[in-house]
Amino acid sequence: MGHSGFYNSAMSSIFDDDFFAPTDPMANVGDTLLHGLNDEQMRAVTLPDEHALILAGAGSGKTRVLTTRIAWLLQQQRVSPGGIMAVTFTNKAAKEMTARLSAMLPINVRGMWIGTFHGLCNRFLRAHYKVANLPQGFQILDTQDQLSAIKRLYKQFNINDDQFPAKQMQWFIGGCKEEGQRPGDVPVRDAESRKKVDIYQLYEEQCQREGVVDFGELMLRSYEILRDHPLVRQHYQRRFRHILVDEFQDTNRLQYLWLKQFVPEVGDAVPRNAIFAVGDDDQSIYAFRGARVGNMNDFVTELKVQHQIKLEQNYRSYSNILDSANALISHNTRRLGKNLRTDQGSGEPVRVVELPGDLAEAQWIVDEIKQLVRDGSARKEIAILYRSNAQSRVIESTLFNHAIPYRVYGGLRFFERAEIKHALAYLRLLDNPRDDTSFLRVVNFPPRGIGARTLEQLQDAARSGNTALVDAVQQVPGKAGANLASFVAKIDAMREQADQITLKEIVELVLDNSGLLEHYRNERDGADRVENLQELVNAAESFVSLEGFGKESAGMHQLDTSAAPAWPGESDAAAQDAANSASAAEVLPDGETLSPLAAFLTHAALEAGDNQAQAGQDAVQLMTVHAAKGLEFNNVFISGLEEGLFPHENSLNDYDGLEEERRLMYVAITRARQRLYLSHAQTRLLHGQTRYNIRSRFFDELPEECLKWITPKRAGFADAMPGYEGRWGGNQGDSWNRDVRQAVGQGSAEVVRKSEPGHGLKKGMRVFHTKFGEGTVQMLEGSGADAKAQINFSRHGVKWLALSVAKLTPID
DNA sequence: GCTGTAGAACTTTTT
DNA sequence: GTTCTACAGC
């Protein structure tokens, strides 16, 4: 059943009523539902209504299990669509789930809550905006907006950016929220942390005053409402019989706490419901942004999960690739334990190659790609993966020189582009004149004679009156004040017109009246920007049409505030419950609808859009390993497999870091279906200087029988390090690594065998540190892993550094 | 108020 | 080596 069928059924709403009637023509769809599932998948799909953890290995049909489970619940278990919530991390995943589901069943997906954590929280807060103490049309700050909001705060309160870098503060605030901490909950140790918490507090007040929320706030506030309002909580606990979670290993603390709110406690007098969590601890690669693999264990113990199923049958790769992945990941110690298997045969060996430099590496990859294409491979089935973005440049230019089409993932997304942000800022001001972030963004863009001086005056006035910028405009005297007033008048005029026209027309109006379009037309390289603005008009137009068809994808822009389920029985119970309670008002959603403009702005904030420029073209795919998660290709190149790069040097200081790097490598390997190529270079240009690297330790963790060395295998990490068995051994690895870097750095690219232990530093020696620059060793203390050195840096003064951690290079 | 130049950063990233 | 940010000068 295709999309058109789905829309038809959704629009006529026949299925909502008749879907399960015996006469229904689609009643036999379910017969084929479970067809083709293996035993493990079948067991998972048909588990009873209890909490379950599904350990789904790479390529094991995870999404299929999730969607089939939902379909099975709807059809066989007669669960109402309104009783199901499915949570993902990315819009892409949510969309895919929705699409697959509607292809599987002629069901109205709209009643279901399928979406990202943030999308669902947004939906929740819009529905309960009064309880949430937010304006109904609250706007969402993306990462850029959040940073500029913090910087604005710094100006206003004279906070020193050198002392508390705004970026770091942003990270701090985000981190607190992810842990579920309000300013009052953050432990304060010293004056510095006191100040940070104060800034956090000020930031919160500013957001509240302006009626905006950041991403973390969407989650945190939703969580707090559920936690603090038993009636609201019980309403949703009653409603959602089944909660399905994708990529569970990537959940942070707050997301886990939020999920748990949906599970009734003993004595809550709410019927039992079930969380069906799908995840893979071996693919947990987002600890750096707060993901807690530990949530998997906590989930099992705290909710007494009785059902755990491992999906270990892989449908993607040949066994040489799979065995490599299995062998590699077995070197991690903290695992739930899983071993992928395949029926596909061994396939080609994994090819390994060593090259003299990054350029030669790129050249080699390009040569191989040419061969693959000659042999009939589609270019889009070839992926080049790397650990960090900086590595793409050499590869890009080499591909370019050979006229091979390629596509780089990452970079700016559509809604993050400056010109789009400017346009959105105008649109936001139409919706909420008190949005100071947007006000400042465009008050003088395009330039209209409002300078920094004027704005300072304005901000002073606003601060002393404790008002929004827009309300302080009259207080600025003279020409400057007049300019400001005319800006505000212009916005007001647009707002007035906006009431009577379509969303598309509003966007066009703003682009014209603001002067944005004009500005970019006159700019030398403005053609792309003009095109993007035109694209924004198109986006607005199609957004309207989506609304018109009542299609609700992952974005949750369709604000279906009917939190009370449409299913007979359930809705009665919920309504009854609400009616019986004294504070029914807070339980039931505040059912007004959002204006199309506000909905569009929300959509823009929650879904930053594509960043793939030339999509659709048959091009070689370039991306970081992180970006490759969830994708698969016939041919995969993993480049830059060198110590310091992959595993990345910044991760080597702690054990968890190395294990995460290994999981990252595991993810990279398991992207390949047929052919896998691993390459490393002896030298590489990084940060403007040539670095000499030895091959990654990960090579020593792969089974020799699966590999084919294109260039001779030479001494590597394990050979040079006695006692290394592919396992992390405290800090010796790093000090050894430094020795090699020093030795190799002195000229020979040949791998050096470990000579003598220790750091090799002496008093009076000149050393170089990547952060602090040059300095002189003044004192040495301790030995081995505890060795420390006192170094006098010419630029940064005297510092004590732990030699097992700090990266020092002697200068001669 | 805009433009050019010096200085600093620089792993990975979704919402 | 590149790229973004911040401040000084026109």
Side-chain angles (χ1 to χ4, degrees), chain A residues 328-339:
Chain A
L328 178 97
I329 202 65
S330 72
H331 288 88
N332 271 1
T333 53
R334 303 178 189 176
R335 297 179 64 212
L336 297 173
K338 212 170 12 49
N339 217 34

Side-chain angles (χ1 to χ4, degrees), chain A residues 82 113 127-128 235-236 239-240 560-566 574 587-589:
Chain A
W113 277 39
H128 298 283
H235 171 80
Y236 285 94
R239 172 175 175 174
F240 294 122
D560 177 13
T561 46
S562 58
V587 179
L588 291 174

Side-chain angles (χ1 to χ4, degrees), chain A residues 165 179 316 321 380 403:
Chain A
E179 291 291 311
R316 183 182 295 160
I321 295 170
K380 65 175 192 305

Side-chain angles (χ1 to χ4, degrees), chain A residues 343-488:
Chain A
D343 297 336
Q344 287 204 56
S346 54
E348 293 193 39
V350 175
R351 291 187 166 78
V352 181
V353 65
E354 173 175 9
L355 293 133
D358 45 1
L359 211 81
E361 183 189 38
Q363 189 63 52
W364 181 81
I365 292 173
V366 167
D367 287 345
E368 285 297 316
I369 287 175
K370 283 182 166 173
Q371 188 59 47
L372 285 171
V373 172
R374 265 199 296 277
D375 293 347
S377 271
R379 280 188 290 264
K380 65 175 192 305
E381 281 300 338
I382 302 171
I384 307 174
L385 310 184
Y386 35 81
R387 174 66 241 267
S388 65
N389 283 307
Q391 289 166 254
S392 77
R393 250 197 42 252
V394 183
I395 301 171
E396 275 188 72
S397 66
T398 311
L399 284 165
F400 184 83
N401 291 337
H402 288 257
I404 298 172
Y406 65 90
R407 189 173 119 186
V408 189
Y409 284 69
L412 269 196
R413 327 263 288 278
F414 181 72
F415 284 111
E416 292 166 357
R417 294 171 183 282
E419 63 275 20
I420 300 298
K421 295 285 286 183
H422 281 130
L424 291 174
Y426 278 103
L427 291 167
R428 281 187 179 195
L429 285 177
L430 297 196
D431 202 55
N432 171 16
R434 303 169 59 85
D435 183 340
D436 287 352
T437 300
S438 298
F439 188 98
L440 285 174
R441 183 172 192 114
V442 292
V443 65
N444 196 38
F445 194 94
R448 47 175 73 89
I450 299 170
R453 186 117 196 189
T454 309
L455 290 177
E456 223 150 89
Q457 269 181 288
L458 179 66
Q459 280 172 293
D460 281 345
R463 190 181 330 146
S464 55
N466 197 25
T467 64
L469 294 174
V470 67
D471 298 319
V473 162
Q474 321 86 287
Q475 295 175 48
V476 179
K479 182 91 171 48
N483 284 344
L484 280 171
S486 90
F487 170 73
V488 172

